């Protein structure tokens, strides 16, 4: 999480892109996460999709 005073400056995006690149480099093709309420759009911009209501959270599957 990025502190509110620092949000909107690209810090969270840089962190997530770094993490996703590491996942790709290690052949990890699926990332599942739980997002704070109201933050799903941030993860959508990174390619994540919302999961079913019976399995809350968000998922990204690389091909």
């Amino acid at each position: 999480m990025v502190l509110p005073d620092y949000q909107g400056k690209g810090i969270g995006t840089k962190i997530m892109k770094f993490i996703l690149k590491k996942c790709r480099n290690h052949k990890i093709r699926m990332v599942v996460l739980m997002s704070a309420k109201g933050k799903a759009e941030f993860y959508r911009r990174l390619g994540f999709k919302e999961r079913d209501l019976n399995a809350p959270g968000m998922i990204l599957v690389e091909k």
Side-chain angles (χ1 to χ4, degrees):
M1 291 179 66
V2 177
L3 293 171
D5 288 348
Y6 298 95
Q7 290 178 4
K9 299 176 190 284
I11 297 168
T13 300
K14 286 181 183 178
I15 291 169
M16 285 303 299
K17 285 184 176 183
F18 177 82
I19 291 169
L20 294 173
K21 182 177 180 180
K22 286 286 188 182
C23 290
R24 279 187 220 96
N25 290 344
H26 290 281
K27 308 294 187 224
I28 297 169
R29 295 181 46 232
M30 183 184 301
V31 178
V32 179
L33 58 83
M34 300 297 288
S35 66
K37 188 174 183 175
K39 301 297 182 184
E41 185 55 36
F42 169 79
Y43 295 103
R44 275 192 214 100
R45 289 193 302 263
L46 293 165
F48 285 83
K49 296 184 184 336
E50 289 190 64
R51 293 178 47 151
D52 186 302
L53 289 178
N54 293 324
M58 302 193 77
I59 188 167
L60 173 72
V61 179
E62 295 279 331
K63 294 181 174 135

